């Protein structure tokens, strides 16, 4: 009882709580009995409301202090107006290089911008698909886009699996929404559009938009929207649906779901309409106002992306698309959940079992590679021996041919020497005969002169 009374005394003397009047005498008695002697009374003052309803305010302050991030993927053909629409949505002029139509493959170019409005900091990453739809062979046009999205998921998964991870300070580069730009110069979707959106619908939130919708009449635009949605539904393409569970945004999201795809017009130029200066485009026949809902759906798209459903897009990316990628990756690595919910799951045991399996498989591969190496060495030795025998046979054959040619040359040499000796003998005999003939011819005139004198 004494400890209970002391605790109540501390509660009443350390707060601004005012007890009921019927307990004033008892509180006075407690304060005289348990108050410390020769010490001043310490009081605490509350600087705000105490209660659970202050938790949202605390969360908001922490989120605002940390800042927000939002990543947008723009998929569309070159020159369809992706950069212009982004500048229109954020009312900024983001620097971006103009792309050409001569890229040999599709490249993804991310650009990150820091935007501040009041005390809210937003880091926006815009990823453009450079060269999409410009190649002759379009079979692999969507592969770089899928690889880029998977790469961002893998980076986040690698950060999660680290021993010392810092997810609070991690710059999340996962794509939160994909704005797919549909060309207005056709009566329906292209085959490339259907194939690409079918590959992306399980990896990212897709919102289709009809670019440069001011090139279509009102009836053409309505018919194109109907054909696009019917083709997407018939081909099983899952688009992002604005959530209708929250009563606060259920009505506006329900109406926006029926207006997909959005018809958009991009422009950062100021034009004068009446006495107002607005963003739009000026044509010889009139003007088009970007922020006029009767002209296009840019305002609706901005409301859905940046005001109403921003957090839902982030949650869908994390809890749906990333979880699907994470589950598939962990299953590929060999991790599986227990079949029974009551069965305990040990990550250490799973890791050790997977490690043993991996080491066993590695040992089996090593043994098979060693055996393959031994077989290759044996085959090489047999082949080398055969080559050696073949070379030895060729050597013996060449040696025999060399000896035979050497004998032939020696015989020819002897024949030549005999011919030379015979030639020399004939030459000497011929010279002797020539000498005798010359000598005989020189003696005959002297005989004639002697005979004349006689």
């Amino acid at each position: 009882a004494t400890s209970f009374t002391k605790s109540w005394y501390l509660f009443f003397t350390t707060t601004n709580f005012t007890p009921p009047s019927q307990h004033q005498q008892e509180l006075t008695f407690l304060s005289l009995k348990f108050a410390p002697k020769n010490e001043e009374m310490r009081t605490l003052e509350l600087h705000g409301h105490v209660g659970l309803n202050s938790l949202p305010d605390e969360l908001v302050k922490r989120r605002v202090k940390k800042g927000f991030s939002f990543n947008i993927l723009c998929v569309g053909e070159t020159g369809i107006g992706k950069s212009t629409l982004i500048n229109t949505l954020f009312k900024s002029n983001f620097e971006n290089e103009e792309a050409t139509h001569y890229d040999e493959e599709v490249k993804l170019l991310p650009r990150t911008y820091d935007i501040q409005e009041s005390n809210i900091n937003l880091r926006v990453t815009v990823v453009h698909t450079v060269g999409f739809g410009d190649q002759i062979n379009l079979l692999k046009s969507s592969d770089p886009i899928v690889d880029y999205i998977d790469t961002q998921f893998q980076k986040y998964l690698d950060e999660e699996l680290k021993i010392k991870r810092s997810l609070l300070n991690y710059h999340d580069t996962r794509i939160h929404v994909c704005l797919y730009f549909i060309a207005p110069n056709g009566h329906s979707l292209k085959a490339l559009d259907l194939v690409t959106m079918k590959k992306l619908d399980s990896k990212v939130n897709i919102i289709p938009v009809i670019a440069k919708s001011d090139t279509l009449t009102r009836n053409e635009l309505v018919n194109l929207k109907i054909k696009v949605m019917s083709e997407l539904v018939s081909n099983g393409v899952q688009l992002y649906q604005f959530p209708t569970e929250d009563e606060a945004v259920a009505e506006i999201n329900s109406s926006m779901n029926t207006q997909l795809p959005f018809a958009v017009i991009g422009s950062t130029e100021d034009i004068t309409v009446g006495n107002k200066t607005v963003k739009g485009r000026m044509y010889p026949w009139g003007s088009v106002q970007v922020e006029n809902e009767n002209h296009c759906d840019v305002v609706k798209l901005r409301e859905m992306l940046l005001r109403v459903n921003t957090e839902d897009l982030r949650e869908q990316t994390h809890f749906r698309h990333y979880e699907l990628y994470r589950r598939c990756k962990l299953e590929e690595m060999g991790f599986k959940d227990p079949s029974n919910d009551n069965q305990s799951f040990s990550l250490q045991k799973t890791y050790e079992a997977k490690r043993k399996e991996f080491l066993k498989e590695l040992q089996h591969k090593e043994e098979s590679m060693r055996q393959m190496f031994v077989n290759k060495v044996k085959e090489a030795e047999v082949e080398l021996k055969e080559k050696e025998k073949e070379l030895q046979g060729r050597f013996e054959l060449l040696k025999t041919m060399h000896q035979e040619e050497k004998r032939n040359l020696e015989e020819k040499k002897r024949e030549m020497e005999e011919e030379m000796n015979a030639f020399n003998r004939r030459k000497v005999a011929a010279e002797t005969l020539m000498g005798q003939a010359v000598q005989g011819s020189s003696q005959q005139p002297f005989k004639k002169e002697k005979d004349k004198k006689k």
Side-chain angles (χ1 to χ4, degrees):
T2 303
S3 61
F4 176 76
T5 308
K6 287 182 179 180
S7 62
W8 275 104
Y9 165 73
L10 292 175
F11 173 74
F12 288 128
T13 56
T14 56
T15 60
N16 291 334
F17 179 76
T18 303
S21 59
Q22 58 183 353
H23 299 295
Q24 289 289 342
Q25 295 180 357
E26 183 179 357
L27 181 61
T28 304
F29 169 76
L30 292 174
S31 62
L32 292 175
K33 184 176 180 180
F34 296 105
K37 297 180 179 180
N38 299 327
E39 292 184 6
E40 295 182 358
M41 194 74 67
R42 184 171 66 93
T43 59
L44 295 178
E45 296 182 0
L46 299 177
H47 298 284
H49 176 71
V50 177
L52 295 179
N53 54 359
S54 63
L55 289 178
D57 298 334
E58 182 181 354
L59 292 176
V60 169
K61 291 179 182 178
R62 294 183 63 181
R63 291 298 301 273
V64 169
K65 182 179 179 181
K66 179 183 176 182
F68 302 88
S69 63
F70 194 62
N71 306 322
I72 304 175
L73 172 64
C74 299
V75 181
E77 300 174 359
T78 304
I80 203 170
K82 301 186 292 294
S83 302
T84 306
L85 180 63
I86 294 298
N87 293 337
T88 304
L89 289 177
F90 290 95
K91 297 182 179 180
S92 301
N93 189 12
F94 297 143
E95 296 181 359
N96 192 23
E97 299 178 359
E98 293 185 2
T100 63
H101 294 274
Y102 304 103
D103 293 309
E104 297 181 357
E105 59 183 2
V106 180
K107 301 178 183 178
L108 280 86
L109 184 63
R111 289 286 185 268
T112 302
Y113 311 96
D114 292 325
I115 301 176
Q116 185 174 6
E117 182 177 345
S118 298
N119 62 336
I120 305 298
N121 295 321
L122 178 64
R123 174 171 288 185
V124 180
T125 301
V126 182
V127 184
H128 293 282
T129 54
V130 180
F132 181 78
D134 291 338
Q135 294 75 32
I136 297 177
N137 186 2
L138 301 176
L139 293 176
K140 297 183 179 180
S141 296
S142 59
D143 292 344
I145 305 174
V146 176
D147 294 340
Y148 180 84
I149 297 174
D150 289 342
T151 301
Q152 311 316 310
F153 284 154
Q154 185 63 42
K155 288 181 180 179
Y156 193 87
L157 180 59
D158 293 341
E159 185 67 26
E160 275 191 335
L161 296 178
K162 286 183 180 179
I163 297 176
K164 294 182 179 180
R165 58 184 184 178
S166 57
L167 293 176
L168 292 177
N169 299 324
Y170 177 75
H171 180 208
D172 190 3
T173 58
R174 294 174 297 176
I175 300 299
H176 299 132
V177 63
C178 170
L179 296 180
Y180 196 94
F181 289 74
I182 300 172
N185 52 4
H187 299 286
S188 60
L189 289 173
K190 298 179 181 179
L192 176 62
D193 299 331
L194 288 173
V195 172
T196 304
M197 281 193 277
K198 186 62 179 177
K199 290 184 178 180
L200 295 178
D201 62 354
S202 61
K203 297 180 178 296
V204 69
N205 304 312
I206 301 178
I207 298 179
V209 295
I210 300 176
K212 298 182 179 181
S213 60
D214 53 339
T215 60
L216 300 173
T217 63
R218 189 177 298 273
N219 292 332
E220 290 175 345
L221 184 59
V222 172
N223 294 332
L224 181 59
K225 283 188 174 184
I226 295 174
K227 289 182 180 179
V228 167
M229 291 305 298
S230 63
E231 288 186 358
L232 292 176
V233 172
S234 61
N235 287 275
V237 179
Q238 300 294 326
L239 300 178
Y240 172 74
Q241 295 293 315
F242 302 115
T244 57
E245 292 81 8
D246 189 0
E247 296 181 357
V249 296
E251 183 177 356
I252 184 173
N253 282 346
S254 298
S255 62
M256 290 297 117
N257 285 329
T258 60
Q259 298 188 25
L260 291 175
F262 292 122
V264 296
I265 302 171
S267 176
T268 57
E269 299 179 359
D270 294 329
I271 62 174
T272 302
V273 179
N275 297 327
K276 297 181 179 180
T277 301
V278 296
K279 299 291 184 183
R281 291 181 177 274
M282 186 65 70
Y283 297 100
W285 45 262
S287 62
V288 174
Q289 302 176 30
V290 171
E291 297 183 350
N292 189 339
E293 295 187 11
N294 294 324
H295 294 178
C296 65
D297 299 330
V298 170
V299 176
K300 299 175 182 177
L301 179 60
R302 181 189 295 145
E303 288 288 306
M304 292 296 101
L305 287 183
L306 305 178
R307 188 181 71 86
V308 181
N309 300 300
T310 306
E311 190 61 27
D312 184 75
L313 288 168
R314 291 163 50 88
E315 290 180 356
Q316 287 289 328
T317 299
H318 181 77
F319 293 107
R320 180 187 172 191
H321 303 295
Y322 170 69
E323 283 298 323
L324 177 61
Y325 177 85
R326 175 180 172 273
R327 183 182 65 190
C328 295
K329 276 295 179 181
L330 293 180
E331 288 179 353
E332 289 179 5
M333 296 169 62
F335 295 99
K336 295 182 180 179
D337 292 333
S339 57
N340 189 5
D341 295 338
N342 296 327
Q343 184 179 358
S344 60
F345 174 75
S346 176
L347 184 62
Q348 181 67 22
K349 293 181 180 179
T350 305
Y351 169 75
E352 291 178 355
K354 188 64 180 176
R355 185 173 181 273
K356 291 180 180 179
E357 182 182 354
F358 174 75
L359 291 177
K360 186 177 180 181
E361 183 180 358
L362 184 63
Q363 185 178 2
H364 177 69
K365 288 183 178 180
E366 184 179 358
E367 190 66 27
S368 62
M369 290 183 66
R370 185 182 292 108
Q371 188 65 30
M372 185 184 300
F373 177 74
V374 171
N375 296 333
K376 290 289 185 183
V377 170
K378 290 181 178 179
E379 292 177 0
E381 289 178 353
V382 172
E383 186 177 357
L384 286 175
K385 289 181 179 180
E386 292 179 355
K387 292 290 185 182
E388 185 179 359
K389 289 180 180 179
E390 183 180 355
L391 290 174
Q392 187 66 26
R394 293 178 62 184
F395 174 74
E396 294 294 337
L397 178 62
L398 291 174
K399 185 177 179 181
T400 304
M401 293 174 61
H402 174 69
Q403 292 176 354
E404 185 178 356
E405 289 181 357
K406 185 176 181 181
R407 286 194 299 267
N408 295 332
L409 288 174
E410 289 178 353
E411 291 178 359
K412 289 182 178 181
K413 182 178 179 181
R414 285 194 299 269
E415 293 176 357
M416 291 293 294
E417 288 178 352
E418 291 177 357
E419 289 180 1
M420 287 180 65
N421 293 332
F423 176 76
N424 290 330
R425 288 194 296 269
R426 290 194 299 269
K427 182 179 179 183
V428 172
E431 289 178 352
T432 303
L433 293 174
M434 287 291 295
Q436 293 177 357
V438 171
Q439 187 177 2
S441 61
S442 61
Q443 289 179 357
Q444 190 173 4
F446 290 111
K447 289 180 177 181
K448 290 180 178 182
E449 290 180 358
K450 287 181 179 180
D451 291 336
K452 288 179 179 181
K453 289 179 178 181
K454 290 179 177 181

